[in-house]
Amino acid sequence: MKTALIFSRGIRNTPHLSAFLPDYDLKKTKPPQTVIGWGYKPTADKARAFAAAHNLPYTALEDGFLRSLGLGVEGYPPLSLIIDDIGIYYHTAQPSRLEQLIMQADRLPAELFAQAETAMRLIVGNRLSKYNHAADFAETDASKRPSEKPIVLLIDQTAGDMAVQYGGADEHTFQTMFQTALQENPQAEIWIKTHPDVLSGKRKGYLTDIAQQENIRLLAEDIHPISLLQQTDKVYCVTSQMGFEALLCGKPVTTFGLPWYAGWGVCDDRHPDIAKLEQSGRRTGRTLTQLFAAAYLQYSRYINPNTGQSGTIFDVIGYLARARHLNEYLRGNLYCIGVSLWKRAVIKPFFNVPACRLHFVPTADKMLKINLPPDARLLAWGGGKETVIRLAEQLNLPLLRMEDGFIRSVGLGSNLVPPLSLVIDDMGIYFDPARPSRLEHILQHRHFDEFDRETAQNLQRELIEANISKYNVGRTETTQRPSEKRILLVPGQVEDDASIRLGAPEICRNLDLLRTVRERNPDAYIIYKPHPDVVSGNRIGAVPQEECARYADQTAAVIALSLTAAVRIIMFDARGKTHKPLSACIAYLSIVWLCSLALSAAFAMQNLTCWLLIFGLALHTGAVLWSGGNVSKIHPRKIRPEAKGRAVPEIRFRRPRGNFRGAEKH
């Protein structure tokens, strides 16, 4: 492991940096063996100068080719990084680690070659690029193309782009590319893709001024690259990475600079120094798959976005594909009416994608006073309140519905345990059979390939093995049941739930359901499982104990609720209050008692009613809050003098730090 010196605060603050650099010691405990900086940007001049002055190697970092969902300047951290201890891929005046990997790519193992082909197919199929926040090209349907003429795309770049400077190009190179494209394609439509900031005046492009001609279409919108490239017939570029993405899409590419993929025989290269690179032995014939394997699989490093640990390109592809789909699905302005403050905080993370702007409006009357944008939609919980539905009809706005997901949480929503999943439906909602839903549409029209089926089977197996359900409360142990009888499970529900109101026209009470099952199966062994919200006393639908005993052979009681409550008390932190050891001891004793009640109920040692557990929970929680007894991680962190001269430990619950979407400054 090499010890590394990093001057840049932005690099040091990169989320999960140690996972990207497991072979480097970043703790500054020993003299540095290398200096790490961000590529060849001016901000890395200090690091490069220090390395040269102390005769140390310089290691360059750069964003990977599959970076993130959104932009780094908007706080989206990298999911891939490039680490180059020789040069950097866009500086073709000198060798780089990528160049060496490509030269050795003819000896790729068959497994790596197969992985490269799979990753290429998934990237193009899911339309993934370096950044993935932009909308798809509006004319993705071939039938909507403006004419039958071939479409030639020229890729502009912004002035000051490091890839242009170190790729042997300048303003004259772009002018040459433009004139050549016109001469070689007289019958084609010429499209020029430039940066959105160019037309707004924030940045300067190379082709903006010379593109003001007839039959030249200037595209300045923020368009997702793959969706645009798929509509073209030929691509001209200087050093842009979009040129390589065009190759992935199967488009012929002509280069006028020295991008990393030029000179290997996969595109038409017009730069005069290409011949020098071939003569010096720095370029030879390679296939597109070999270039991809070297750049995306060997040269780039990835983290698993879900764990923050070292990962693979397939971890990032899977995450970006799902995130990009959600980003497109939620694109626009969403207005949510009459949502409580607690539920606002709960649902916000699910809509935290670049293209979605979530607004909370107190009442429908306030909604009528808003000047709505063209992409406005309403967002409602569940089936939606009548006022919200009528408002959507009145304003002619699309209505999205959301509901808890099928794997929700460890604990109940009625106990204010936040959800870990949501269902968002733009057609209806899955529990309403009277209207179509997005789930119904997916089941009818989605083609599930072998990868989808394999993924589903693996998830199914893992859920069963881990005993994962919607709420994940209650005990997993069950009593012995007679093997000679047919065993039936009767799940109870909340009787005023929307799924009952909309989907149960005849039997809508738990007791009626239980009675009907017994009447139709007199010889079966029936297990009744009450809904956890009902067991907690938060919702209606309780079946009297004598009725349960009459129609069911066994009742699967949910007793983990009290255990969850005990954990809540344990994690209670009286911030800023003086720790009182006696109060803390009393709190712990009360927790032990509360847990004993739960265990007694679990093993049927005593018959406890729900109100007793609720009363005990309320009493103990109130006592802890009133006394200031901090039972969270009891250990002294700071000694502060009190009025009586005693030193009293101040105890605080230490929450995890760090933000996966921290701002990026290099």
Side-chain angles (χ1 to χ4, degrees):
M1 180 179 290
K2 296 182 180 178
T3 57
L5 176 63
I6 301 176
F7 288 97
S8 171
R9 182 181 300 177
I11 295 177
R12 292 197 301 268
N13 292 336
T14 300
H16 312 294
L17 184 63
S18 59
F20 282 118
L21 304 173
D23 47 342
Y24 290 88
D25 183 3
L26 310 177
K27 298 180 180 179
K28 302 181 182 179
T29 56
K30 299 178 181 178
Q33 296 173 294
T34 187
V35 181
I36 294 179
W38 198 262
Y40 278 63
K41 289 184 176 181
T43 54
D45 289 346
K46 180 179 179 182
R48 294 166 59 193
F50 184 91
H54 294 81
N55 198 27
L56 293 172
Y58 174 74
T59 301
L61 302 185
E62 266 291 349
D63 289 323
F65 303 117
L66 289 176
R67 186 195 184 278
S68 53
L69 176 63
L71 300 174
V73 295
E74 294 180 356
Y76 289 87
L79 304 178
S80 66
L81 279 183
I82 287 166
I83 292 89
D84 199 319
D85 57 349
I86 298 177
I88 197 66
Y89 70 94
Y90 55 74
H91 196 341
T92 50
Q94 61 184 38
S96 68
R97 177 63 64 182
L98 175 58
E99 189 175 276
Q100 292 190 0
L101 291 171
I102 296 175
M103 292 295 293
Q104 301 167 6
D106 57 336
R107 300 188 295 272
L108 282 176
E111 181 182 0
L112 195 64
F113 196 86
Q115 290 178 1
E117 290 185 326
T118 302
M120 290 165 63
R121 174 176 55 82
L122 292 174
I123 287 174
V124 176
N126 290 290
R127 295 180 176 175
L128 302 181
S129 184
K130 184 175 183 177
Y131 304 103
N132 297 277
H133 62 285
D136 284 338
F137 185 56
E139 300 167 8
T140 52
D141 188 351
S143 63
K144 298 181 180 178
R145 288 179 56 159
S147 71
E148 296 299 323
K149 295 181 178 180
I151 296 175
V152 176
L153 178 66
L154 278 63
I155 302 173
D156 196 9
Q157 294 174 252
T158 55
D161 190 338
M162 304 297 293
V164 175
Q165 177 183 346
Y166 291 112
D170 53 22
E171 186 174 359
H172 177 71
T173 308
F174 284 86
Q175 295 174 356
T176 302
M177 177 180 70
F178 180 77
Q179 296 297 332
T180 303
L182 293 179
Q183 294 172 6
E184 295 180 351
N185 305 275
Q187 304 300 321
E189 277 195 30
I190 305 297
W191 292 3
I192 296 178
K193 178 66 183 79
T194 190
H195 196 279
D197 287 345
V198 172
L199 289 187
S200 66
K202 297 179 181 179
R203 305 178 73 176
K204 183 181 178 184
Y206 292 100
L207 297 178
T208 309
D209 296 334
I210 63 176
Q212 306 299 324
Q213 304 182 24
E214 286 189 28
N215 300 323
I216 303 296
R217 181 177 178 181
L218 193 62
L219 303 171
E221 310 91 61
D222 203 2
I223 306 170
H224 196 275
I226 301 296
S227 67
L228 175 60
L229 291 168
Q230 289 175 332
Q231 299 305 302
T232 64
D233 298 292
K234 190 176 183 180
V235 176
Y236 288 77
C237 68
V238 177
T239 62
S240 174
Q241 179 64 16
M242 277 187 69
F244 186 76
E245 293 174 337
L247 293 172
L248 296 180
C249 294
K251 308 299 180 180
V253 177
T254 302
T255 65
F256 287 80
L258 292 174
W260 66 269
Y261 51 87
W264 303 102
V266 296
C267 46
D268 181 8
D269 303 307
R270 306 288 181 88
H271 197 282
D273 288 347
I274 290 291
K276 296 179 181 179
L277 292 175
E278 294 173 349
Q279 294 170 4
S280 63
R282 291 180 56 192
R283 292 293 188 273
T284 188
R286 290 291 181 263
T287 66
L288 179 63
T289 305
Q290 289 171 336
L291 262 65
F292 181 91
Y296 284 71
L297 299 185
Q298 296 179 306
Y299 191 51
S300 303
R301 300 186 181 186
Y302 302 90
I303 62 167
N304 187 318
N306 300 309
T307 65
Q309 302 301 312
S310 296
T312 68
I313 188 174
F314 298 103
D315 295 327
V316 174
I317 288 175
Y319 172 83
L320 288 178
R322 293 188 295 271
R324 186 172 178 275
H325 172 74
L326 182 62
N327 189 57
E328 291 302 306
Y329 192 60
L330 300 178
R331 181 175 297 278
N333 288 273
L334 300 183
Y335 293 86
C336 201
I337 302 172
V339 176
S340 64
L341 292 177
W342 178 83
K343 188 163 285 188
R344 291 183 187 185
V346 166
I347 67 176
K348 273 184 178 181
F350 295 97
F351 298 86
N352 190 19
V353 292
C356 179
R357 292 167 295 280
L358 184 62
H359 312 274
F360 295 101
V361 184
T363 63
D365 293 337
K366 291 285 184 67
M367 187 70 189
L368 294 172
K369 300 177 182 179
I370 299 175
N371 186 17
L372 298 174
D375 58 358
R377 290 184 290 177
L378 290 183
L379 179 66
W381 188 268
K385 297 180 179 179
E386 288 297 326
T387 55
V388 177
I389 296 175
R390 288 197 301 268
L391 183 64
E393 296 173 350
Q394 180 183 349
L395 299 176
N396 195 26
L397 294 178
L399 179 62
L400 290 177
R401 294 171 173 86
M402 57 182 168
E403 184 60 74
D404 288 329
F406 302 114
I407 304 175
R408 186 193 184 280
S409 54
V410 181
L412 303 177
S414 59
N415 283 339
L416 303 184
V417 177
L420 301 176
S421 66
L422 278 185
V423 170
I424 303 170
D425 200 315
D426 61 339
M427 299 177 66
I429 197 66
Y430 68 91
F431 54 75
D432 186 357
R435 69 180 75 189
S437 68
R438 177 57 60 178
L439 176 59
E440 185 178 288
H441 184 271
I442 292 172
L443 291 172
Q444 289 181 336
H445 301 285
R446 168 82 179 266
H447 171 69
F448 296 97
D449 56 20
E450 186 61 32
F451 179 79
D452 294 326
R453 289 190 289 270
E454 184 179 347
T455 302
Q457 290 172 358
N458 292 335
L459 288 174
Q460 179 183 0
R461 183 180 63 257
E462 292 177 6
L463 291 173
I464 293 173
E465 291 175 353
N467 293 314
I468 300 296
S469 183
K470 183 173 183 177
Y471 296 108
N472 302 290
V473 296
R475 67 180 188 267
T476 58
E477 298 83 2
T478 57
T479 60
Q480 293 292 328
R481 296 180 295 275
S483 59
E484 67 275 6
K485 289 188 176 183
R486 185 186 181 197
I487 301 174
L488 301 180
L489 175 65
V490 180
Q493 291 185 256
V494 176
E495 292 182 353
D496 62 349
D497 191 74
S499 63
I500 296 291
R501 290 188 287 102
L502 300 173
E506 296 182 359
I507 299 176
C508 53
R509 296 173 65 241
N510 292 321
L511 179 57
D512 295 337
L513 175 64
L514 191 58
R515 183 188 297 113
T516 303
V517 174
R518 173 56 72 189
E519 290 174 353
R520 297 181 181 181
N521 302 273
D523 299 326
Y525 189 92
I526 297 177
I527 303 173
Y528 175 64
K529 181 188 180 302
H531 194 282
D533 276 335
V534 175
V535 175
S536 69
N538 298 331
R539 304 289 295 275
I540 65 172
V543 178
Q545 190 67 34
E546 60 273 14
E547 296 292 338
C548 284
R550 182 178 179 183
Y551 298 111
D553 298 285
Q554 180 181 338
T555 299
V558 182
I559 54 87
L561 302 170
S562 55
L563 297 175
T564 303
V567 171
R568 284 189 175 184
I569 297 179
I570 293 174
M571 301 305 292
F572 167 69
D573 177 22
R575 287 189 176 270
K577 295 186 179 180
T578 302
H579 171 62
K580 300 179 180 179
L582 180 59
S583 299
C585 291
I586 295 174
Y588 269 115
L589 290 175
S590 65
I591 291 166
V592 171
W593 180 70
L594 191 63
C595 291
S596 68
L597 294 180
L599 295 175
S600 297
F603 294 100
M605 296 172 63
Q606 52 180 306
N607 185 20
L608 297 172
T609 57
C610 183
W611 67 266
L612 181 59
L613 294 178
I614 296 174
F615 177 76
L617 172 60
L619 180 64
H620 301 150
T621 304
V624 174
L625 293 171
W626 175 79
S627 66
N630 190 339
V631 297
S632 162
K633 295 188 182 287
I634 298 182
H635 60 277
R637 291 186 60 193
K638 183 174 75 175
I639 304 297
R640 63 183 186 186
E642 295 293 321
K644 297 182 179 181
R646 297 178 295 172
V648 181
E650 181 184 8
I651 303 171
R652 298 183 183 275
F653 176 53
R654 295 180 290 183
R655 302 182 184 274
R657 297 180 178 179
N659 183 3
F660 190 66
R661 290 189 55 192
E664 185 178 66
K665 298 178 181 179
H666 304 300

